[in-house]
Amino acid sequence: MKLAPPSRHLEVQLVADAYGNVASIHSRDCSVQRRHQKIVEEGPITAAPAETVKEMERCARALARAVGYVGAATVEYLYSLEDGGYYFLELNPRLQVSIAPSRSDPCASTVD
């Protein structure tokens, strides 16, 4: 096991169909947590360079294709601020939406 301080919890959200098409639809930083629950979700990711985020999204899409995934998913990574490396944590079979931005804002997009 390797300790990775300081680091960030970064996520890529995907949608995939039965024909092997996979799209990354959103990436975000979910590092602010309390008792393993996300408190703040920042998007787009600013803790990593844009090229690294693109590579993380590419790897997430490749993972979904490799396992024949169909549907919505969230791929989680641990991103090391020290060396710029990112490490796969898990693939969740759903979009993770902790708190809707605002039910009263007609421009806010939410997933119920």
Side-chain angles (χ1 to χ4, degrees):
M1 181 173 6
K2 180 181 177 181
L3 183 63
S7 57
R8 306 295 291 184
H9 176 173
L10 306 181
E11 297 182 351
V12 175
Q13 294 183 326
L14 305 173
V15 290
D17 66 18
Y19 303 101
N21 299 305
V22 182
S24 49
I25 57 173
H26 187 64
S27 59
R28 61 191 181 174
D29 186 335
C30 300
S31 299
V32 180
Q33 299 186 15
R34 181 174 183 258
R35 296 183 180 155
H36 307 291
Q37 295 296 313
K38 297 170 198 152
I39 295 173
V40 176
E41 299 169 352
E42 270 186 278
I45 293 171
T46 59
E51 286 304 313
T52 301
V53 174
K54 286 180 186 176
E55 180 67 14
M56 290 169 56
E57 291 173 345
R58 187 194 65 74
C59 289
R61 291 190 306 270
L63 171 63
R65 277 191 207 95
V67 300
Y69 190 84
V70 176
T74 301
V75 177
E76 300 186 22
Y77 296 99
L78 186 65
Y79 174 74
S80 171
L81 295 171
E82 287 182 346
D83 65 11
Y86 56 93
Y87 308 92
F88 173 77
L89 293 174
E90 64 182 336
L91 183 148
N92 289 304
R94 65 192 180 284
L95 293 182
Q96 294 179 298
V97 178
S98 300
I99 301 168
S102 169
R103 296 278 180 196
S104 63
D105 182 352
C107 298
S109 63
T110 61
V111 178
D112 291 322

